[in-house]
Amino acid sequence: MDLQHARAVAVEAAEAAGALLQSRAGGALGVRAKGAAGDLVTDLDLASEKLLLERILTAFPSHAVIAEEAGLLGAAGGEWTWLVDPLDGTNNVAIGLPAYVVGVALCHCGRPVLGVVHDPVSCQTWSAIRGGGAVTTSGAPLAAPYHPSPHGPLLAWTQGYDVARDDPAACALKARLELRARRVLQLWAPLLSWAMLARGDIDGIVGYRAEAVDLPAGALLAREAGIEIRALDGGPFEDRFDGTADDRSFVAAHPRALPGLLALVG
């Protein structure tokens, strides 16, 4: 498998989808309810996903794809699977907030080996190949800096769609973060949070039962930029998409900041 070629396909597809989103984000969105938890889907999600699927399946017809809206295309359990989030931040777009990205990941036997995040608003793209580092739009290396604040960390929070508002573990964890962190952002766009962490805009991310489709691309990007990710108890964390929701709770930060973040959530 030529991962450099796969990256080129994924980057071109994500940027084309981003151009589509940016050109139509200010118009009629065709917003509809999705699921019982108040989530949304728009015509933009579907149009972006259609473009991404066409690009990826044309280039790799034997691969499976799991898309945010369409679900599984192709046979499950194959060697190569693409994960597609056509519009990460739908709820933001629906209220006119320009905070959204496109995410694509390629997984080999469940483990991400390629991740791409494209921000249509800033026209920036970040990508990573496992073991090959992370790069910016220009191809320059992306390395997360370490800059501690005496006022506590600036964190992002993400949780899965199925987490109830009164989930006791989530409520207790968020309460500890609010008390001990400088700020806790809830961006409704996890992949954007991962890109911000990889760039050094925020100090860490705490995730509780995160979604499987958008986690691998962001986690791989951050890891290849030098971020360390652990389970909430400090144990190893696997950024696979084929585990259970309980496997997708984590803390992520620069290695020098991680001990403090683990102490904060503990």
Side-chain angles (χ1 to χ4, degrees):
M1 182 65 187
D2 184 348
L3 291 180
Q4 293 293 349
H5 171 62
R7 169 157 50 190
V9 171
V11 167
E12 289 175 5
E15 291 179 347
L20 182 154
L21 294 174
Q22 186 72 343
S23 68
R24 294 172 52 181
L29 301 179
V31 180
R32 296 176 292 283
K34 172 184 170 183
D39 199 25
L40 302 175
V41 62
T42 72
D43 292 342
L44 280 184
D45 294 80
L46 302 177
S48 175
E49 185 170 280
K50 181 175 183 292
L51 186 156
L52 290 164
L53 293 176
E54 288 175 349
R55 297 283 185 103
I56 291 170
L57 289 174
T58 296
F60 303 98
S62 65
H63 290 187
V65 180
I66 299 175
E68 180 78 13
E69 309 305 333
L72 174 65
L73 301 176
E79 186 177 2
W80 296 98
T81 302
W82 292 85
L83 306 177
V84 171
D85 193 338
L87 175 49
D88 186 38
T90 300
N91 287 278
N92 294 336
V93 174
I95 61 173
L97 182 64
Y100 58 94
V101 294
V102 178
V104 177
L106 174 61
C107 299
H108 181 243
C109 298
R111 193 180 189 210
V113 294
L114 166 65
V116 174
V117 177
H118 172 64
D119 181 354
V121 179
S122 66
C123 296
Q124 294 293 307
T125 305
W126 306 275
S127 63
I129 291 175
R130 185 174 291 275
V135 297
T136 66
T137 302
S138 66
L142 180 65
Y146 175 63
H147 43 63
S149 167
H151 306 293
L154 174 57
L155 304 175
W157 166 271
T158 183
Q159 67 184 48
Y161 297 133
D162 294 333
V163 177
R165 293 185 181 184
D166 59 352
D167 182 290
C171 291
L173 183 54
K174 284 196 287 186
R176 287 198 295 274
L177 296 179
E178 291 287 357
L179 284 173
R180 302 175 183 178
R182 178 161 48 106
R183 295 286 188 277
V184 180
L185 308 177
Q186 297 187 57
L187 297 178
W188 292 353
L191 284 170
L192 180 57
S193 298
W194 284 113
M196 293 173 67
L197 179 59
R199 297 195 311 253
D201 301 330
I202 59 176
D203 301 313
I205 301 176
V206 178
Y208 180 73
R209 298 173 63 90
E211 289 298 307
V213 171
D214 52 41
L215 174 63
L220 180 62
L221 176 69
R223 270 184 161 148
E224 290 297 325
I227 293 299
E228 189 172 352
I229 310 173
R230 297 280 189 87
L232 292 178
D233 63 1
F237 178 79
E238 289 290 334
D239 50 1
R240 302 175 64 91
F241 76 87
D242 53 358
T244 67
D246 288 328
D247 298 327
R248 298 192 294 273
S249 296
F250 62 86
V251 294
H254 188 281
R256 293 173 64 185
L258 192 66
L261 182 53
L262 285 171
L264 189 150
V265 303

